Amino acid sequence: MKIAIDVMGGDRAPNEILKGALLASKEIESEIVLIGPERIVGETGLQFVPSSEVVKMDDSPLEVLRKKNSSMHIGLRLVSEGKVDAFVSAGATGPLFLGATSIVKKLEGVERPALGVAVPSLKGVTILIDAGANAKVRPEHLLDFAFMGIAYAKVLGVEDPKVGLLNIGSEETKGHEDLKKAFSLLKENLGDVFYGNVEGHDINSGTVDVVVSDGFSGNVALKTMEGTAKLITTTLKKVIKEGGILSLLGALLMKRSLNKLKERLDPRSYGGTFILGVRGIVVKAHGSSDAKAIMHAIKVAEKGIKMRIVEEIGRGINSVRNSGDGR
């Protein structure tokens, strides 16, 4: 197994990307292939492919197609040619998404790929799709997202995934016209698999296994969860410190549990999101990823390889479409 890393993508490139890649190389089975300028990647001792251009964070999506010698373009091309099994980048979402759909290509039957992320919930994880790739979508696209989300959930071991549509209320009449049309489409095509409308708090509650959304709302929800997690951990530290000696002693006794809580809530622990619906494994890491987040994004990519996520989702989409009831 080989995983290519875009060393030049992200707000903290190249230093944090390299650190994350080196951390991951000690913990995973896959071989890591770094993509970046030789003067940077050639000193790491890891396999590398040199690049001479960079797709910047504020570049337009089309730049990934124009800059053929960029680390992002080369990584996507390596996936499309089967020379690596996965590609991880913390670069700009727009170029990466366009590159994945144009270079790696879409799976048959998928009109609009999407970002799918498994976020922590009270019942394990909830698949949030789309998490930021498609700001505006048609109702038919939300149905496609549901198909991909169901397939992804089954890959993760959920036998009978339930699907919810992210909305401002649980009632069928809530939301704008496109959401109402999407509700009807999901109900008609998924049957009992479709739970109905869900709200933001349902994502972490685990009310359903898959939450379907347009990329704008999904990304806002994801970033809000990340901010809330940081608020909880930061406030907890502050309260313990202000609580005096007894509070500190209590925290010391609960250190193991508190560390587990911190790890559970840390957005870096789920590292990256799959671009679902393309013919290869492409993982989008957060633009501000540090070394730990990059390490986890690489682990996400390796998990995708082992689960044969592309093949399973392609098979799952066809199965769900053909069955007519989401099963």
Side-chain angles (χ1 to χ4, degrees), residues 5 11 19 77 85 111 131 140 155 176 189 199 208 213 216 229-230 252 256-257 261 275 303 312-313 316 321-322 325:
I5 313 298
D11 297 327
K19 289 179 185 176
R77 191 171 70 240
D85 301 287
E111 182 180 342
E140 294 81 6
V155 168
H176 52 69
N189 286 273
E199 299 176 70
V208 293
S213 169
F216 183 91
K230 186 174 182 180
L252 186 61
R256 182 177 295 180
S257 296
L261 173 65
I275 297 183
K303 188 174 184 179
E312 292 298 325
I313 284 181
R321 284 186 181 278
N322 294 333
D325 66 353

Side-chain angles (χ1 to χ4, degrees), residues 312-324:
E312 292 298 325
I313 284 181
R315 188 179 299 113
I317 290 171
N318 290 330
S319 174
V320 172
R321 284 186 181 278
N322 294 333
S323 68

Side-chain angles (χ1 to χ4, degrees), residues 42-88:
E43 300 177 356
T44 61
L46 298 176
Q47 184 177 341
F48 70 91
V49 175
S51 66
S52 57
E53 295 180 290
V54 177
V55 176
K56 299 176 183 178
M57 296 301 284
D58 57 353
D59 274 350
S60 74
L62 287 173
E63 289 303 297
V64 70
L65 303 180
R66 294 178 181 137
K67 295 180 177 179
K68 298 186 185 299
N69 290 316
S70 65
S71 51
M72 185 182 289
H73 186 106
I74 291 171
L76 293 167
R77 191 171 70 240
L78 290 175
V79 172
S80 71
E81 294 172 351
K83 294 179 179 177
V84 297
D85 301 287
F87 176 56
V88 176

Side-chain angles (χ1 to χ4, degrees), residues 286-297:
H286 200 294
S288 61
S289 292
D290 61 7
K292 183 177 180 180
I294 292 297
M295 177 187 69
H296 281 291

